[in-house]
Amino acid sequence: QVLLVESGGGLVQAGGSLRLSCAASGRTFSSYHMGWFRQAPGKEREFVATIRSGGDWTNYADSVKGRFTISRDNAKDTVYLQMNSLKPEDTAVYYCAASYLYGSSWSTRSWGQGTQVTVSS
């Protein structure tokens, strides 16, 4: 089991940027595919972005494509989410997730505790 701890959330004005980090400990980080998901009040948790274990492939939700970038540093056991051109509709709790499987077979093995992102208009 891998333990995930997110950081970097906060309050930002529309059009601004934030960088989320997710530090992993426990089992070998580089063996996991990693992802970011988010949940807005009253809504289901939704996919934001994923990255393969080697960092060679990424996927994004259409709503964030071109604005968000997922990356990872396996030497630091950390995955990042750079969020630019933020919109009020990006307001949510953002969760880091780890999976042994990628793509349509994604199955979350571990979740972080979440970090709040609030975008004011």
Side-chain angles (χ1 to χ4, degrees):
Q1 190 82 0
V2 62
L3 178 66
L4 304 173
V5 179
E6 302 98 334
S7 61
L11 174 64
V12 64
Q13 287 188 331
S17 298
L18 281 175
R19 188 196 197 200
L20 306 183
S21 299
C22 172
S25 61
R27 297 289 297 273
T28 305
F29 175 74
S30 61
S31 66
Y32 286 96
H33 308 302
M34 299 298 297
W36 288 95
F37 294 75
R38 67 187 181 186
Q39 187 166 18
K43 294 188 176 181
E44 298 280 323
R45 190 171 298 188
E46 65 176 5
F47 156 77
V48 175
T50 53
I51 186 167
R52 287 179 59 89
S53 57
D56 58 332
W57 194 261
T58 57
N59 289 90
Y60 296 92
D62 287 344
S63 59
V64 307
K65 203 170 292 184
R67 300 188 297 121
F68 291 11
T69 302
I70 188 171
S71 61
R72 65 190 295 162
D73 186 338
N74 285 347
K76 296 182 178 179
D77 292 350
T78 302
V79 62
Y80 305 96
L81 186 68
Q82 177 67 44
M83 305 185 295
N84 298 328
S85 302
L86 282 160
K87 304 175 181 180
E89 52 263 44
D90 294 318
T91 295
V93 178
Y94 283 70
Y95 297 91
C96 178
S99 171
Y100 282 132
L101 302 175
Y102 197 75
S104 59
S105 300
W106 180 280
S107 178
T108 299
R109 302 282 295 186
S110 296
W111 289 101
Q113 84 288 352
T115 185
Q116 176 71 46
V117 171
T118 303
V119 184
S120 63
S121 57

